[in-house]
Amino acid sequence: GPKVLQIPSHQIIDMGQMVTLNCDPVSNHLYFYWYKQILGQQMEFLVNFYNGKVMEKSKLFKDQFSVERPDGSYFTLKIQPTALEDSAVYFCASSLIGGNGAETLYFGSGTRLTVL
Amino acid sequence: SQLAEENPWALSVHEGESVTVNCSYKTSITALQWYRQKSGEGPAQLILIRSNEREKRNGRLRATLDTSSQSSSLSITATRCEDTAVYFCAPQTGFASALTFGSGTKVIVLP
């Protein structure tokens, strides 16, 4: 089936540094999403993005977070500066515009971010 | 409070047996999706059932939807060890709206 690729699979950085998580979505998809999952907890929505703009964001999407798709290929999540509580697995997803408000999201395997 | 909740929290079955996971949700929906997340992987969609459907099948999987009681179930027949995963329901409330997940049901299939 369609694949979403996330690079890198693991990243370790020091608190206060900037980190960029990269996502290569399914090629013809138009909607993009980031979710955050702390180990052992449920997956929580951060943000979705369409046509160069943030459509919705949750309260977890702090001011230090930003998203973009600068060259029409990778969809990125940037955290600047990072905090200890940002340690989690971040999942990217993409979807094609669907009808009747029902869309299938395709998820990547996640990037495990560890902030020291 | 969570938009959707799966129950039970966890269960185990032996290979070949059937298993059912239940979901209750708290909003009007356009569709409800079931996802499975295996250890170390991202979620993968199993079934999408629209609000005007009552039942949907996909191989060994069967989902039901009751919009009057705001509940859904996912049944897996002839389970296999590789069905071991966390199963989530995700109600969808509108076009391109954010999909929210519950805490999931951990299903363990024993040999």
Side-chain angles (χ1 to χ4, degrees):
Chain A
K3 296 286 187 186
V4 173
L5 300 176
Q6 289 190 243
I7 305 163
S9 57
H10 292 83
Q11 189 142 3
I12 301 173
I13 59 169
D14 292 321
M15 184 177 65
Q17 284 189 323
M18 180 193 76
V19 67
T20 300
L21 307 183
N22 295 303
C23 171
D24 188 7
V26 178
S27 61
N28 60 338
H29 283 186
L30 300 174
Y31 283 81
F32 312 107
Y33 310 78
W34 283 104
Y35 284 80
K36 176 182 179 181
Q37 187 175 40
I38 294 173
L39 188 63
Q41 298 185 20
Q42 70 190 87
M43 198 158 50
E44 298 190 273
F45 168 77
L46 286 176
V47 65
N48 61 5
F49 188 85
Y50 167 72
N51 198 26
K53 298 176 189 172
V54 170
M55 302 291 287
E56 292 177 88
K57 56 184 180 179
S58 73
K59 56 187 175 185
L60 294 179
F61 193 77
K62 305 180 294 184
D63 291 343
Q64 299 92 319
F65 288 29
S66 62
V67 291
E68 61 178 354
R69 198 181 185 208
D71 58 358
S73 59
Y74 284 136
F75 175 52
T76 63
L77 173 66
K78 184 185 294 185
I79 309 174
Q80 180 178 27
T82 50
L84 294 177
E85 59 265 28
D86 296 330
S87 293
V89 180
Y90 290 83
F91 290 99
C92 171
S94 70
S95 67
L96 188 62
I97 294 178
N100 300 318
E103 300 183 2
T104 297
L105 267 62
Y106 293 88
F107 285 85
S109 297
T111 293
R112 181 177 298 279
L113 176 66
T114 301
V115 181
L116 302 175
Chain B
S1 63
Q2 290 187 163
L3 209 57
E5 190 172 338
E6 299 86 353
N7 68 85
W9 180 74
L11 59 91
S12 64
V13 295
H14 286 95
E15 265 196 316
E17 295 179 337
S18 297
V19 66
T20 296
V21 177
N22 299 298
C23 167
S24 58
Y25 58 90
K26 295 180 180 178
T27 182
S28 60
I29 62 171
T30 54
L32 185 137
Q33 304 188 36
W34 282 95
Y35 283 79
R36 172 170 70 189
Q37 185 177 24
K38 296 186 177 182
S39 181
E41 299 180 6
Q45 191 204 62
L46 299 175
I47 286 184
L48 185 156
I49 183 166
R50 299 179 189 273
S51 57
N52 61 351
E53 297 176 311
R54 292 295 167 259
E55 180 181 298
K56 194 83 169 280
R57 291 178 184 266
N58 179 10
R60 295 182 294 114
L61 308 174
R62 173 179 172 262
T64 65
L65 180 64
D66 183 344
T67 52
S68 61
S69 63
Q70 296 189 321
S71 63
S72 176
S73 70
L74 176 72
S75 298
I76 310 173
T77 57
T79 53
R80 305 167 182 165
C81 286
E82 54 262 38
D83 293 327
T84 294
V86 180
Y87 290 77
F88 299 95
C89 67
Q92 192 146 19
T93 58
F95 184 75
S97 63
L99 209 58
T100 57
F101 294 85
S103 300
T105 291
K106 186 173 180 63
V107 173
I108 299 172
V109 181
L110 302 167

